[in-house]
Amino acid sequence: MDRAKELSILKTLLQYDEAGTTALADAPWENEVTAYTCPERHRREEELLIRGRPVVMGLSCDWPANGAYRTDDFAGVPILIVRGRDGQLRAFLNVCRHRGAKVVDGCGEARSFRCPYHAWVYGDDGALRAVPDADSFPGVMDQRPGLTPLPLAEKHGMVWVLPTPAADGSADLDIDPWLCGLEEDLKFWKLDTYHFHARHVQYEEMNYKLLVDTFLEGYHFGFLHAETLRNVLKPNINHFETFGPHSRTTYPRAKLDRLRTKPEDEWNLMWNSTIVTQMLANTVFSPQGDHMEIYRMFPVDGRPDRAVMETSLYIPKTAETEDEKRHWDANLALAIKVITTEDFPAGRTMQMGASSGAQSHVIYGRNEPAMIHYHQSIRRELGLPIDDKAAKAAAK
Ligand code: FES
Ligand SMILES: [Fe+2]
């Protein structure tokens, strides 16, 4: 993204609005309902898409100082991420090399980590530093020099971890090939200038992809959100662009209309739209007017019908006064309220519908291009044919 792209998205949205149209896929597309229900497919998704691909862990500001650490179990393995005294961010499996207890919980600042079970101590570089009664473990500190590293990338102000150790033990993750051009957007948003404000965790009884689906089309804004978003976002209009398996959908705010009477050099994309960047299977990164939101969705308990969404709010300047804190808290509360009281109740019914036997497929319209791209990308990653009906017919 650059200034020319910013203007071109705004112009396209104004044209769509005038013409009463939107970005359109070539054709509607049908997706198997088993995408939301099949335990075997779900197991493969967890293995390939959650633990086999880089997972967004947050922004650089989540580890603001040397010694800052956060633990994160959402990917189904315990992960510890810590900024060492050298400023380097590192990720480890949060699994003690003695008998496997979790070394540390939560988040905070520390120079070293002491396993609560038998007090083995690890440095902020993951190295095993001390073993009580070391004489009982001859040679063990050499055999087990530290926590198991996970590949990590910190770039453009964002942090990714591959939740599976590299075969060669590498701690570095080359994120560029995976971004497929999205890096221009990330650079444009200057994410390394943001500050963490607050986080919210919501457990749901539906497939994690239904949580992602919530963000991927504006067709429902005028109906499901008739009392809330309908007057904030223009329904059923989106600008759409793909980046490999990722995508960016831009929804115009109602105030976009004002741009028609303003000179172009005053046009601002962030203030006049809501942007949804879908990053492969489980992350939605959303620049929103004056702040950034990151939504991360994960399966829970290995079940296709259980999921959790973590919402994080990032702001341009740390909230110092009570008024500022209240302002940003209210922003987060509003986003969560609409999603959890309007979108997710509908999502729960879709999970029940998927298991009901009513239909083998659901259908996404031409006006829902991000839905089509997301689910086709997942099928590609899983090695499944895009058109399963045609594939089944040909096999007969
Ligand atoms: S399991 Fe960690 S010290 Fe024993
Ligand atoms: Fe919604």
Side-chain angles (χ1 to χ4, degrees), residues 338-382:
V338 172
I339 292 167
T340 59
T341 64
E342 297 181 4
D343 292 293
F344 288 177
R348 279 175 230 140
T349 71
M350 290 151 94
Q351 185 69 43
M352 285 178 72
S355 311
S356 70
Q359 54 197 355
S360 63
H361 291 70
V362 288
I363 187 159
Y364 311 135
R366 294 187 63 203
N367 58 343
E368 302 178 281
M371 293 287 293
I372 295 174
H373 177 74
Y374 172 57
H375 288 280
Q376 289 190 347
S377 296
I378 286 178
R379 288 187 73 86
R380 268 188 209 100
E381 297 280 325
L382 296 174

Side-chain angles (χ1 to χ4, degrees), residues 14-27:
L14 285 166
Q15 284 160 8
Y16 286 156
D17 190 32
E18 272 158 35
T21 186
T22 181
L24 294 169
D26 293 339

Side-chain angles (χ1 to χ4, degrees), residues 96-103 115-120 122:
C96 182
R97 299 303 310 277
H98 175 213
R99 280 171 49 200
K102 188 184 274 191
V103 176
C115 179
Y117 209 157
H118 312 89
W120 284 28
Y122 302 88

